Amino acid sequence: IGKYLIRIDRTSSGIFRYTSWSGTENMGKKPDILIENGKYDEEKNEYHFINGDYIYIIAEKEEGTELVVKHKNKIMLHLNNQK
């Protein structure tokens, strides 16, 4: 999404995991951010990951994928990847 390479997957134990690399880094390199224990909201088609005071929200929408990063409920980053 934008300048980030993001992967969301489910571990063998069923936990959602968010992994992010800045720029166009290769997924084989160490990620910049790794957050486990994410939640999926089926109603909104969104993943939520909490990392300290930060909340990462990744949403699949008709027009594309959206990434919102909030710090203490203030939007710090909002990116859209249009289809």
Side-chain angles (χ1 to χ4, degrees), residues 46-72:
E46 293 179 347
Y47 293 91
H48 294 244
F49 295 88
I50 297 173
N51 187 20
D53 290 336
Y54 290 87
I55 299 173
Y56 294 73
I57 302 166
I58 298 87
E60 285 292 329
K61 303 193 177 225
E62 286 185 28
E63 61 274 4
T65 306
E66 178 180 72
L67 168 66
V68 176
V69 179
K70 295 181 178 182
H71 180 253
K72 296 184 178 180

Side-chain angles (χ1 to χ4, degrees), residues 23-53:
T24 57
E25 292 295 321
N26 181 329
M27 283 187 176
K29 293 185 178 182
K30 183 179 177 183
D32 297 313
I33 299 172
L34 176 75
I35 309 168
E36 295 185 332
N37 292 323
K39 305 290 183 207
Y40 179 68
D41 183 334
E42 284 187 46
E43 197 171 295
K44 294 181 180 180
N45 199 25
E46 293 179 347
Y47 293 91
H48 294 244
F49 295 88
I50 297 173
N51 187 20
D53 290 336

Side-chain angles (χ1 to χ4, degrees), residues 68-82:
V68 176
V69 179
K70 295 181 178 182
H71 180 253
K72 296 184 178 180
N73 228 12
K74 180 181 177 187
I75 295 176
M76 304 302 290
L77 179 68
H78 186 188
L79 298 172
N80 289 300
N81 186 19
Q82 303 295 317

